[in-house]
Amino acid sequence: MLDIHRPCCKIAPPDLLALLAVNGKQPEREAAVRALATSAAIRSQRAVMGRFSRQLNLNIAQIAGFGVTPDRRQTVYDNQRMGRSFLPGVRARGWGEPPVQDEAVNQAYTGSATTYEFYRDVLKRDSLNGAGMELVSTVHYGVAFDNAFWDGSQMVYGDGSGRIFQVGGLTRSLDVIAHELTHGVTEFTAGLVYSKQSGALNEHFSDVFGSLVKQYSLKETADEADWLIGEGILVPTLGKALRSMSNPGTSHSGDRQPKHMDHYVDLPDDNDPRNDNGGVHINSGIPNHAFYLAATELGGYAWDVAGKIWYEALTTRLRPNTQFDEAAAAIVDVAATMFGSAEEKVVKKAWKEVGVLT
């Protein structure tokens, strides 16, 4: 049976929005309520698409009108800030076409292209599905919508209200774009169910590759990287970023991410946004910190060793209901197989330091 309640994967943690809806100042409350309402409205409409593509072997991108065509590697559309719910919107820029006047269109285009090139050049993957899937983006979704998400077939960006997210921040942030597009890679491979530990792993892998795409674009080593997800996209009064992989729980005023299993937050998956689908954004801090520890101890460019280990595990070893300990064991095994005992030791140590392995 299809799970029609399967949520879209959105960059804004729902527990943060729920917190602001209750405890924020009036402008924050209004923006948070609007973001939660818009997210709820689109969830049931789009939730089945990813599962169709995996379980029923249907190409949702082609059904939606997006194909696998060399001359259409990506297209950006404009929803025109009119509160429309239809996607993708009005065509704004196609593959190989020059920049346009709308900066959000150009940022979405460049971010998607950079992510595509990272997967192609570093991980030898041809787009999200491994078979040249066109990357489709829609900008200016809704009215001052404080979110961005992968909906199972395409990327969708709100403009931000200036009350929670900075106006224009969601298309400006490369790691946010790469994070959301990686949900597509996960959907086409491990298919990690978006609930509790498997959902936290889903968020974790998106944070890993979101950070690595940013590091790759800047040619930063693991020691040079800031390890922040969405740095500078929140309004300054809320915090510096959405998440910190180096120090979970410190990125913004509502950040309650743990970095060790001793502080795992056991929440129900009950459609209450305060519970974050059983803590998928919250508990992703634990595997995120494990990756940070492994990557920094391995040294050099994090995509060269740690990134390739995590990618191989995601695409070949994990399954929809994989739990933290199972993922850790698979990743340790991949490290040994791909590289050797030294790398295996480092990766195992990282998972032990966060309390997932003993």
Side-chain angles (χ1 to χ4, degrees):
M1 179 181 294
L2 291 172
D3 179 6
I4 63 172
H5 300 295
R6 179 185 173 277
C8 298
C9 306
K10 303 178 183 69
I11 194 65
D15 61 312
L16 172 61
L17 296 178
L19 177 67
L20 292 173
V22 175
N23 297 325
K25 297 177 181 178
Q26 184 173 348
E28 295 170 345
R29 290 200 305 268
E30 292 172 352
V33 168
R34 183 167 59 243
L36 288 167
T38 303
S39 298
I42 63 177
R43 184 171 67 181
S44 60
Q45 176 186 356
R46 313 296 291 188
V48 298
M49 300 189 75
R51 190 158 300 219
F52 272 141
S53 68
R54 188 175 69 255
Q55 292 189 347
L56 303 184
N57 198 29
L58 296 176
N59 190 327
I60 297 301
Q62 290 184 341
I63 292 172
F66 318 140
V68 180
T69 54
D71 60 338
R72 261 177 49 193
R73 200 171 84 185
Q74 70 158 308
T75 309
V76 181
Y77 295 83
D78 183 0
N79 217 232
Q80 300 185 324
R81 304 184 182 89
M82 299 180 70
R84 295 174 169 138
S85 60
F86 72 85
L87 292 171
V90 178
R91 187 182 182 281
R93 185 180 176 188
W95 173 242
E97 295 176 0
V100 298
Q101 290 187 342
D102 189 330
E103 195 58 33
V105 170
N106 296 329
Q107 289 168 343
Y109 181 99
T110 300
S112 291
T114 302
T115 303
Y116 177 96
E117 289 160 4
F118 172 85
Y119 274 102
R120 180 195 65 193
D121 297 343
V122 175
L123 301 174
K124 311 306 177 188
R125 184 177 187 84
D126 186 7
S127 193
L128 307 185
N129 65 347
M133 176 182 179
E134 179 187 5
L135 301 183
V136 175
S137 305
T138 295
V139 299
H140 304 310
Y141 182 80
V143 178
F145 180 47
D146 279 301
N147 225 326
F149 58 93
W150 165 257
D151 81 341
S153 68
Q154 68 160 98
M155 275 299 306
V156 183
Y157 302 93
D159 289 319
S161 64
R163 299 173 177 181
I164 299 174
F165 287 99
Q166 295 187 31
V167 175
L170 292 163
T171 52
R172 189 169 61 240
S173 179
L174 175 59
D175 55 344
V176 166
I177 293 173
H179 169 107
E180 290 300 318
L181 287 171
T182 297
H183 282 304
V185 175
T186 299
E187 194 64 53
F188 282 107
T189 56
L192 290 161
V193 174
Y194 205 69
S195 177
K196 292 186 172 285
Q197 286 194 19
S198 59
L201 288 169
N202 195 317
E203 281 296 322
H204 159 65
F205 281 101
S206 277
D207 276 354
V208 164
F209 293 106
S211 183
L212 290 184
V213 170
K214 181 173 74 170
Q215 292 175 38
Y216 183 73
S217 73
L218 297 172
K219 297 298 180 281
E220 292 179 331
T221 65
D223 288 335
E224 293 169 337
D226 62 21
W227 294 100
L228 295 173
I229 304 299
E231 188 274 329
I233 66 172
L234 290 171
V235 295
T237 54
L238 291 181
K240 61 186 176 182
L242 287 173
R243 287 178 290 283
S244 169
M245 298 179 73
S246 63
N247 196 11
T250 65
S251 64
H252 59 79
S253 56
D255 188 352
R256 48 180 177 152
Q257 277 202 319
K259 60 181 179 181
H260 193 280
M261 285 299 291
D262 285 349
H263 305 290
Y264 179 85
V265 184
D266 191 7
L267 295 169
D269 186 357
D270 58 2
N271 291 322
D272 184 333
R274 293 172 297 182
N275 292 328
D276 183 32
N277 298 105
V280 299
H281 293 89
I282 297 167
N283 291 311
S284 63
I286 297 168
N288 276 1
H289 195 55
F291 182 84
Y292 162 79
L293 292 170
T296 51
E297 183 161 348
L298 288 165
Y301 294 124
W303 60 84
D304 275 341
V305 179
K308 290 176 181 176
I309 292 169
W310 259 251
Y311 173 77
E312 179 71 11
L314 172 67
T315 57
T316 67
R317 300 294 188 92
L318 306 191
R319 60 187 189 280
N321 290 304
T322 294
Q323 303 297 289
F324 282 3
D325 58 344
E326 297 168 314
I331 290 168
V332 170
D333 185 59
V334 168
T337 302
M338 288 187 71
F339 292 98
S341 60
E343 289 79 6
E344 176 191 21
K345 182 179 179 181
V346 169
V347 172
K348 189 172 185 179
K349 176 186 174 186
W351 285 106
K352 285 183 174 181
E353 286 190 36
V354 300
V356 172
L357 296 179
T358 57

